[in-house]
Amino acid sequence: MRNDPDLIREIEQFLYREARLLDERRFDDWLALFTDDVRYWMASRSNRYPKSSKAIAILDPARYVEDDVTGADELAVMDETKETLAARIARLATGMAWAEDPPSRTRHFVANVEVEPGEADAELKVYSNFIVYRSRAESEEDFYVGARQDVLRREGGAWKIARRRLVLDQNVLSAKNVSIFF
Amino acid sequence: MRNDPDLIREIEQFLYREARLLDERRFDDWLALFTDDVRYWMASRSNRYPKSSKAIAILDPARYVEDDVTGADELAVMDETKETLAARIARLATGMAWAEDPPSRTRHFVANVEVEPGEADAELKVYSNFIVYRSRAESEEDFYVGARQDVLRREGGAWKIARRRLVLDQNVLSAKNVSIFF
Amino acid sequence: MRNDPDLIREIEQFLYREARLLDERRFDDWLALFTDDVRYWMASRSNRYPKSSKAIAILDPARYVEDDVTGADELAVMDETKETLAARIARLATGMAWAEDPPSRTRHFVANVEVEPGEADAELKVYSNFIVYRSRAESEEDFYVGARQDVLRREGGAWKIARRRLVLDQNVLSAKNVSIFF
Amino acid sequence: MNIDMNRLVDSERGLLDRRIFIEPEIYEEEQRRIFARCWLFLCHDSQIPRPGDFVTTYMGEDPVLVVRDTGGAVGAFLNVCRHRGNRLCRADSGNAASFTCAYHGWTYGNDGRLTGVPYLKEAYHNELQRERWGLVPVAQLDNYKGLWFATFDAEAPPLSDSLGEMAWYIDTFVDRREGGVEILATHKWAMPCNWKFPAENFGGDAYHVHWSHFSAVTTGFSVGSTATPASANRAVSPGLGHGLICIGGDGYGDPPMPEIQAYERDIRPEVQARLGPRAALVNPIVGTVFPNFSLLRGTSRTLRVWHPRGPDKTEIWSWVFADKAAPPEVKEAVRLAGVRGFSPAGTFEQDDMDNWQECTRTCRGVAARQMPVNTQMGLGRERFDPALGAWTSDYGFSESNHREFYRRWAELMGTADA
Amino acid sequence: MNIDMNRLVDSERGLLDRRIFIEPEIYEEEQRRIFARCWLFLCHDSQIPRPGDFVTTYMGEDPVLVVRDTGGAVGAFLNVCRHRGNRLCRADSGNAASFTCAYHGWTYGNDGRLTGVPYLKEAYHNELQRERWGLVPVAQLDNYKGLWFATFDAEAPPLSDSLGEMAWYIDTFVDRREGGVEILATHKWAMPCNWKFPAENFGGDAYHVHWSHFSAVTTGFSVGSTATPASANRAVSPGLGHGLICIGGDGYGDPPMPEIQAYERDIRPEVQARLGPRAALVNPIVGTVFPNFSLLRGTSRTLRVWHPRGPDKTEIWSWVFADKAAPPEVKEAVRLAGVRGFSPAGTFEQDDMDNWQECTRTCRGVAARQMPVNTQMGLGRERFDPALGAWTSDYGFSESNHREFYRRWAELMGTADA
Amino acid sequence: MNIDMNRLVDSERGLLDRRIFIEPEIYEEEQRRIFARCWLFLCHDSQIPRPGDFVTTYMGEDPVLVVRDTGGAVGAFLNVCRHRGNRLCRADSGNAASFTCAYHGWTYGNDGRLTGVPYLKEAYHNELQRERWGLVPVAQLDNYKGLWFATFDAEAPPLSDSLGEMAWYIDTFVDRREGGVEILATHKWAMPCNWKFPAENFGGDAYHVHWSHFSAVTTGFSVGSTATPASANRAVSPGLGHGLICIGGDGYGDPPMPEIQAYERDIRPEVQARLGPRAALVNPIVGTVFPNFSLLRGTSRTLRVWHPRGPDKTEIWSWVFADKAAPPEVKEAVRLAGVRGFSPAGTFEQDDMDNWQECTRTCRGVAARQMPVNTQMGLGRERFDPALGAWTSDYGFSESNHREFYRRWAELMGTADA
Ligand code: FES
Ligand code: FES
Ligand code: FES
Ligand SMILES: [Fe+3]
Ligand SMILES: [Fe+3]
Ligand SMILES: [Fe+3]
C-alpha cells in the first residue's frame, strides 16, 4: 500500500484539492467531501512529565497519565459531526460571523502524506502534516501547525473523509481564535 | 490529467528544481526556465467586506467590488516581463544591490501541486502553494506565504513557465522588502 | 533518475516515515535508519560579502572566502557519528535531559524531494528542504528551516541514510537550543 | 506614577479614561494593587482529586503550583525555586510526592517543604535553614464549593467576606446538585486585548449577545434564552465589583442539546430546593468574580480565568464543567456544548476576540485615547433588591455591572498597597 | 519628560542628537506634539469618487475613517465606536450608507452621525443623546488639489497657511493638467526604522541616489535625470519643515518608459503654462510635506505616508498616481514604473530599507547614541530665492532641507501641546 | 531612576533583589554604568591574522568593527557611519582595505580614517574636516595573550589593572603552550534570559553540574573531572568580580575524547613549567571575566561573550579554541567536543537554557519579584589564599564567586557614569 505510488498520488491530489477548496472559501464543496457519519476532531497538547522524568517523584504511578494528547477529549477544541460542520458553514454565511468578516486569508499546506490500509475494506488510513497560515486584517498572522490522521472511505466511486483527527502542536494556543477549517 | 501521476511528478520535479536554482542563487539558469513572453505577476490582498456583510449597508451595490485580489493590478508588487526579470538579475550582479548584500538566505517550499489542462494544447495550468523563508543579516526573518498559478508550456522538448501569477497572503506586508524571487 | 516517479515516491515515503518516527519520539527506530558509518552534520550560515560587493575593497583577494557555509566545519552545530547519535538518544532516556523534559512538540515537514544518482552504485543523492516546528512549554515556538542533502544507501534490501548534511538558514540562531533531531 | 489613579474612572457619569486599557504604568500598578491583593481563582477540586495531584497556574503573572499533599491537604505556592528562582514545575498537571528543581536539584515535598538540598552538609555546613527556604505559600488559601481561591495579601479579608453575597450566585453554577461539579475539558489560548474587556463582558454585557453572537444563535448553536430583555433578564451585582447576568427563575438559558434541556427540566425542582427561594426569582447564566474569574452557564458551561499578560495581552484559561451527578450522556453533551460554543473554536467565543482586541488597540491613538469609554446604559436606575441581596438593573440590558466593576477597580487602584 | 526637547537639534551646526530616533518617551511626545497637531495626508479624491465610498487610514497611530457621505460631502472621523471604543470599520475601502459596530451594533451614517442604537428606548430610556455620541470628526479637514488633509488640532492654522509656498510645489505633482491625477495602485508594508529617516530622505536626500540606487540606475530602471548635481539640481525648502529636490525647469527626471518620456515632452508646454513662470525655473521631482507625507515624480510616481508605529517601526502606505488626462498606455507605463521602481519589490526602494533600519538600530548602543548625526552638507550656504519663494541650496547635493526639517521638528517638540 | 541602586545587592547576607534581572530601567543603567565602562572582550587574534582581516561584534548593544589595518595594527571602532549613522559593515567577517557605507558612499580605511566623501569638494566645499569624522574608536584597546579587549571609558584603569590576578588564570586557558590558542569554530544564538545568569553560572556554579548536566555526564559526553567537590574543587576569585572554578593541580577535567586525554597528559609537565608553580596547585576549568566574557576548558573548550539584548534576552557568541601547537587530530577532537558539548546543540549547554530563562521569567511576578535570590552557599567561609592570589571557597561547591560577581556589579551600579 505504501508502495503503491499511484494510490498515494491519488490521495495527495484529493487532499490538495480539498485544501484549495478551503483557501477559496468554497465551504459547501468542501463539506461534500465528508461522509455523513464523519467525526471531525482537533485537540491541543499538554505539558506532562514522562514517567521516567526525575523532575518529580510520582506518588501514584498507577493513575499517572503520560500521553500529552489525552484520548479523553479533555483538550479537544473541535469535535464535530457533519451537522455541526454544516451549521458552522451556515454561520459563516450569515454576514454576521465577525471573526471572519473581513475573511481570514488562509493557505493550507498538506505535507508528508502517508497511506495505510484502513480497518474496513473500502477504507484507507492517511497520515499528513499541516501548516495552515492565516493572515487577517492589516497585519495579523497565525501559523497553525500539526498532524492529521484521516480515514478515507470509498463511496460512490469517490473518496470521502470518514474521520479526521487533528493534533495542533501547541499548549497555550497563540491564535486568538480558530475560526477556520483544517 | 489530475489522474496522470507521472505527469504530476514531472511537473513537481520541475518546480522543485526551479526552487533549488533560486536558493542556490543561480538566477541566470532560473531565468532560462521562462518563455520569452512570460508575465510574472505578484500581488498582495486587501481587506474588503463581502456583499453579505452586515458590518456595512452598501450604498452603491452596483459598483461594489468584493474580490480581495483586484484583477485591476491595483495591488501588484511585481509585474514583470522576461526583460525586466533579466534586468533585476543584472542589478543583483552589480555589487551594489544593497538589499541583497550580504545576500538573503532563502528557502523555497513548493507544496500542493495540482495540474490541469491549459488553454493551449502544449500548455498546462499548474497550481501550487509556497512558503518562502528569508533569513538575513544576524537575526532577520521573513515568511512569504501564498499561492501560485503557473501556465507551463512545452518548448523545445522542455517545460517553460509562460505565466506566473503569485498571490501573497498579506495586506500590510510584514517584510521590509521583496528583494527575492518566487 | 529524476524521471523515475516510483523511485522518487519510494524515497519520499522513506523520508516521511522517518519524520514521523521523530515526531512520535521513536528515536531508537529512527536511529536504525542510519548506516553504521553515517556522518550526520548540521551547520548555520555566516554573513559574507561576495567578492563582487562594492561594500568593501578586498585587500587580500587570494585568501578571501565567499561561501557562507564554510566547508571547514567552522559553523557546524552538530557533527555526529552513529555512536554519538546513539549517546544523544540514550541521554534523552535518562529522565534528566532537561531541555526535553517535558518534551518538545515537534513536527517535521519534508519538502522539495529530488533524487540523483549517488557516487556509489547502491547509493542515491537526495535533496530535500525542511521546516521543523518546535513547540515547547506553554507558549514557546521555534521554526527551524533549511535544506538537507542525504546520501541513501541500499543495505539489506532497505534504504539507509549514509550521510546527512543539514544547512540551517540562520546566522544567529533564534532558538535557545537545538535539542531535537532533523 | 505620573498618573492620578483616582481620576480615571467617573462612575457617576459612567465614563472611563481609555488609558486604563493601554498605559504600561497603569498595568504595573494593577499587578500590585489588584492582582497582588484580591482573591484569585486557582483551580477546581476535581482537577486534583487524589494525594499528589497538582496543577500549575498563575496569579496575575506569578506562576503558582497547586498541589494536594500526601496527607490530602491542598497547598498553593509560588512555582519558583527558592535558590536561584528557577521555575520549579514545568508541567501543566500531574501527580508528585516531590518536585525537584532542574537547575541544582533542590527538592520540595508536595507540602512545599524543602526536603532535599544536595550537599547541604558539605557545601552549606547545615547552615541553610531548610524550614526557612521552603516554597513560598500564598498568603491565604481557601475553598468555596470546590473552587480554590488564593490571595498574596495577608491583610485581605477572608474569602467569604470578599465574595459576600456573590457566594450564593456561585452556588447556582457549581452547587446545584449534591457533589457539585467536575471539570470535563480545558482550553488555553492568548488574546491580544486588555484583561478588563473580557472580565467586564462576562460580568454583565447581555447587550452584545444580540449582535456579536447573533450568527451563532440563528444557526442553532444556542436555543437562546427563554427570557427576553424586557422581561426577566437583569444585570445583578452583589457589590465588591462582582456582577452577573440573570434571567428569571422560571427561565432557561441552556446549551442547545436536547439531553441538556431535558436534564435541566428534570432537575429544576431539586435545584430550586437546594438553592432556596431566591432561585425562584433569578437564574444566573453568566458572571464575573472580581477581578478576573468568570462563570458561564448559558449556551456553554465554563469556568475561566483572564490571566493578564501585559496591557494588551490576556490568556484565557477555560474549563468546561458539569454537575458531577449528571448522567454520562448529559456530561458528554455539556462537553460538546463547551467545545462548540466557548473555546478557541467556539462559534460564540470566536466572535468576541476582535472586539476586545480593537477596543484595546484603538487606545494607542493619542486622539482616540482622549475619548471616554461609555458605560451609561441604565445609569442611575439600578436598585438594591433585598430579595436578591444585590443591585439590579432596571432592564435586561444595562451597564450597571460595568460601572460597579470599574468603581471597585478605581477603589483598589486609588489605595496604594502596603 | 526627563529629556529637554530643546537641546536635541542643533540647526546652527547641523547636528542631531540620536536619541530622537530611539527613545520611547520622545516618540510618545512626537505623537502629541507633532502628529496630533500637524496637517496629515489622508487620501486622494480619486480613491473615494462616489457617495458612500470610504477608505480607512491612520493619523499617527489613530485609526481614521474617510468617507464621502450620501450627499457627496467628505468627512474624516476617528474609526472608533463611541460606545466601548471598538474599531468601527475593518475594511481598507469600500462603499457604505452606514457602518455598524461588530460589538453591540451601534450604527453610524456615512456622515458620522449615530443613527442606530439598539434598545435606545428600552435600555437607554432615550437618555443617550445620539447627537453627542456620533463619530469624532477630525478638528479640521481640507482638500488641496484632490489631496485630503486633516488635523486633530482645532487651533492649527488653516491648511493653506500650513502648506504655504509648498502648495505650488505640490501642484507640480498633482495639478499639472486639467483633472489633476488619479490613483492607480496601492502598496502597504512595514519597515523596521524610525519614521523620520524616510521623511528626511524624500525631503531632500539627492545625495544618496548616486550610491544607494546606482545599481538600479545602471541596469535600466531609470534613465536618470538630465540634470547634473553641478547644474540644475537644487534642494528647495519653502519653509515650515517642507522640502523638495528640484531639477532645472528644462530638465527631465521621469520613469524610463518611452511612452512616459514622449508624453512628458508633449505636455511640457501645457504644463509650464498651467504652472506659471516658476515652472521654467524648477522641476520638482521628490519632496516631503512635513511631517510624514511625501511625493515622488522621478523614476516612479507615488504619494506616500510614513505612518509611525513606534520608535523603530514605520509603515509605508504608498500610492502610484498618474495624470487623469494621460492616455491609457501612459497610465499603464506609470503603473509599471511604480511597481518596478518604488514598491516593496521596487528596484530602487528595496535598497533604502536596510539603511533606514540600521540608522535606527545603531541608536540602541549607549556609545553610538552619543554620536551626533551629521547634516552639515552645504551648511550656511542656503539662500532664499524670491523667484522660488523658497530657500535653495547652493548645489544639487545639500542637507539644507534636512536642517529645515529638524528645525521645524524641534520647534514643535519644544512647545507643549495645549 | 526611581530605584536605589545601592539597595539591590546584599553581599553580607548573600541575597539579591530579583528586580535586577527584569526591570528595564536597571537594564538601561547597566548599559551605561557597566557595559560602557568595563573592558569587554572583542575577539581572538587568530580570527584576524592578516592585514585587512576584520570581524564585527558588539560591546553591550553597540556594534563594533575590529579590523587589522594594512600596516598590521588592530583597531576597534563603532561600526557606525559618522554621516547619518548607518551600520557601516554588515558582514560577520572578511578582509578589507576599506569599507564603504551603503547609504551615501562615505568610505573609511581599515584604520578607521574617513578616506572618501563623494562630492566633498562640490557639496561640502571641503569644509567637512575628514580627520574629525573618521570612525569612532573605542576609548582604550588592548590585547592580552591574543585576546582583544576594549572599553568605551577613557578613564577606565588599564586592562592589566582591570584583570589583575585574573590574568594568570586566563593564561591557563589560552597560554598553556607556545603560540597560544586558535579559534576552530563559532556559534551564535539567542537565549531568553538575563545576561547575568550565564555570567554568574560560568563564573562559579560548579554546583549545578551534578544535576543540570548529569544526563550528559552519564552518557559519555564527559569523563567528568578526576576531582571531587570534597577534595580539590574550589571556587576561586581574584576579585574585581572575576571568578573561576578550579580543580586541583593534579586533576584533569578534559573533554572525553581519548586523543585529548592523552594529549593533556603528555603536555602537563610543559604546561606546568610554563604556567609556574601555581599551576601545581590549581587547574582552572571554567571562569568569567567580569562582566560578560567566559572561558571554558572542562568538557569543551570555548570562549564566549554574553551579549545583553534587553532584560530578558541574551545572545551567546561562542568560539571553540585549541592550543595552536596541538596536533591536527587533537584539534579535530577539540572541535568535536565543542560542537557536541557546548553549542546550541551541545549535550551540556542545551540543558542550561530553560533554567536561565525561567530564573529570568519568574521575576515578572509581583510576588515572586519580592523573593530574594539565594547565594548563601559557603557564606563567610571564603579565604584569601596568597599562593593563588585569590579568594577561595572552603569547598568545591560554593557561591562565593556569585557574591563577588554581584558585589562588583553593585559597586559599579552604585556610582553614576561621568
Ligand atoms: S535554582 Fe533551583 S536548585 Fe538552584
Ligand atoms: S463598542 Fe461599538 S457598539 Fe459597543
Ligand atoms: S549614512 Fe553613511 S554615508 Fe550617509
Ligand atoms: Fe461574547
Ligand atoms: Fe532612496
Ligand atoms: Fe551548565
Side-chain angles (χ1 to χ4, degrees), chain D residues 6-227:
Chain D
N6 297 301
R7 299 287 207 77
L8 297 169
V9 173
D10 179 345
S11 303
E12 279 53 51
R13 298 193 297 146
L15 299 178
L16 307 174
D17 187 315
R18 307 189 80 215
R19 288 178 298 172
I20 70 176
F21 300 110
I22 201 74
E23 290 287 355
E25 62 183 333
I26 293 178
Y27 177 80
E28 286 304 320
E29 282 304 297
E30 284 180 328
Q31 298 309 303
R32 279 184 285 274
R33 301 188 186 190
I34 291 177
F35 290 95
R37 296 198 302 192
C38 292
W39 283 89
L40 304 176
F41 176 72
L42 298 177
C43 67
H44 186 269
D45 227 21
S46 65
Q47 295 173 271
I48 49 172
R50 305 284 213 72
D53 288 347
F54 69 84
V55 295
T56 55
T57 183
Y58 291 86
M59 290 168 64
E61 296 209 47
D62 278 294
V64 172
L65 171 64
V66 189
V67 55
R68 189 177 297 274
D69 71 18
T70 305
V74 170
F77 310 91
L78 283 177
N79 184 15
V80 179
C81 178
R82 294 301 304 281
H83 181 220
R84 202 81 84 250
N86 191 20
R87 185 183 301 232
L88 177 60
C89 178
R90 296 172 180 169
D92 301 338
S93 61
N95 177 277
S98 63
F99 301 84
T100 301
C101 179
Y103 201 168
H104 307 91
W106 284 24
T107 297
Y108 302 85
N110 56 20
D111 57 1
R113 283 187 301 105
L114 177 58
T115 57
V117 175
Y119 299 90
L120 179 62
K121 179 168 159 305
E122 305 87 336
Y124 285 99
H125 307 279
N126 290 319
E127 286 167 351
L128 182 87
Q129 297 165 281
R130 281 191 297 173
E131 57 282 9
R132 292 193 44 234
W133 292 93
L135 292 178
V136 175
V138 297
Q140 299 184 61
L141 174 69
D142 202 352
N143 179 297
Y144 182 74
K145 302 286 177 84
L147 305 174
W148 286 99
F149 291 88
T151 173
F152 286 125
D153 182 4
E155 312 298 311
L159 177 61
S160 54
D161 298 3
S162 299
L163 293 176
E165 202 60 27
M166 188 68 174
W168 180 84
Y169 290 90
I170 290 174
D171 294 349
T172 66
F173 292 84
V174 302
D175 191 40
R176 304 192 310 152
R177 304 190 68 188
E178 188 57 37
V181 300
E182 66 186 28
I183 300 302
L184 301 178
T186 302
H187 299 114
K188 301 179 181 182
W189 71 104
M191 307 185 292
C193 71
N194 184 275
W195 67 274
K196 294 185 289 297
F197 284 114
E200 69 163 48
N201 176 283
F202 274 63
D205 199 328
Y207 188 51
H208 85 293
V209 178
H210 83 278
W211 190 255
S212 286
H213 301 305
F214 189 72
S215 64
V217 171
T218 51
T219 51
F221 289 95
S222 163
V223 291
S225 161
T226 60

Side-chain angles (χ1 to χ4, degrees), chain A residues 39 41 44-49 54-61 63-64 72-81 84 87-88 90-92 94 96-101 136-138 140 171-180, chain D residues 49-54 70 88-100 110 184-192 211-212 214-216 218-219 221 315 317 335-336 339-340 343-345 347 350-351 353-354 357-358 361:
Chain A
R39 186 181 185 187
W41 184 93
S44 61
R45 300 172 67 176
S46 58
N47 293 305
R48 314 263 323 160
Y49 286 120
K54 297 200 168 38
I56 54 172
I58 299 175
L59 177 64
D60 186 351
R63 288 172 53 246
Y64 195 83
D73 299 328
E74 201 250 338
L75 297 177
V77 294
M78 284 200 273
D79 196 340
E80 308 299 315
T81 63
T84 62
R88 283 175 179 269
R91 198 183 76 81
L92 290 173
T94 59
M96 296 177 73
W98 307 119
E100 288 296 310
D101 192 24
R136 253 199 111 242
E138 289 171 356
E140 298 171 20
N171 178 38
V172 177
L173 272 57
S174 55
K176 64 185 168 188
N177 56 27
V178 180
S179 54
I180 60 177
Chain D
R50 305 284 213 72
D53 288 347
F54 69 84
T70 305
L88 177 60
C89 178
R90 296 172 180 169
D92 301 338
S93 61
N95 177 277
S98 63
F99 301 84
T100 301
N110 56 20
L184 301 178
T186 302
H187 299 114
K188 301 179 181 182
W189 71 104
M191 307 185 292
W211 190 255
S212 286
F214 189 72
S215 64
T218 51
T219 51
F221 289 95
E315 276 184 24
W317 288 27
R335 183 187 71 79
L336 290 170
V339 167
R340 295 171 185 168
S343 84
T347 50
Q350 62 183 258
D351 287 335
M353 298 298 144
D354 289 332
Q357 169 185 316
E358 295 301 336
R361 280 181 45 181

Side-chain angles (χ1 to χ4, degrees), chain B residues 57 74 76 79 91 99 140 176, chain E residues 93 97 186-187 335 351 354 357:
Chain B
E74 201 251 337
D79 196 340
R91 198 183 76 82
E140 299 171 20
K176 65 185 168 188
Chain E
S93 61
T186 301
H187 299 113
R335 184 187 70 80
D351 287 335
D354 289 332
Q357 169 184 317

Side-chain angles (χ1 to χ4, degrees), chain A residues 74-162:
Chain A
E74 201 250 338
L75 297 177
V77 294
M78 284 200 273
D79 196 340
E80 308 299 315
T81 63
K82 191 156 189 180
E83 290 64 35
T84 62
L85 287 175
R88 283 175 179 269
I89 289 168
R91 198 183 76 81
L92 290 173
T94 59
M96 296 177 73
W98 307 119
E100 288 296 310
D101 192 24
S104 294
R105 294 171 284 270
T106 65
R107 200 60 61 188
H108 288 67
F109 294 83
V110 179
N112 296 38
V113 176
E114 295 180 88
V115 177
E116 289 181 359
E119 276 138 32
D121 257 9
E123 291 186 352
L124 297 177
K125 185 174 183 183
V126 179
Y127 297 88
S128 61
N129 293 345
F130 66 85
I131 294 175
V132 177
Y133 175 74
R134 186 264 285 263
S135 165
R136 253 199 111 242
E138 289 171 356
S139 307
E140 298 171 20
E141 284 190 309
D142 295 297
F143 284 89
Y144 301 87
V145 181
R148 297 197 302 197
Q149 276 186 38
D150 293 337
V151 170
L152 263 54
R153 188 188 303 150
R154 200 78 191 164
E155 263 186 19
W159 290 110
K160 301 248 172 169
I161 302 160

Side-chain angles (χ1 to χ4, degrees), chain B residues 39 72-73 76 79, chain E residues 184-185 320 330-339:
Chain B
R39 185 180 186 187
D73 300 326
D79 196 340
Chain E
L184 301 178
V320 179
V330 169
K331 288 182 181 176
E332 175 64 358
V334 168
R335 184 187 70 80
L336 290 170
V339 167

Side-chain angles (χ1 to χ4, degrees), chain E residues 201-202 205 208-209 212-213 342 348-353 355-356, chain F residues 103:
Chain E
N201 177 283
F202 274 63
D205 199 325
H208 85 294
V209 178
S212 287
H213 302 305
F342 281 81
F348 279 79
E349 188 132 42
Q350 62 182 261
D351 287 335
D352 288 320
M353 298 299 144
N355 294 331
W356 299 337
Chain F
Y103 200 168

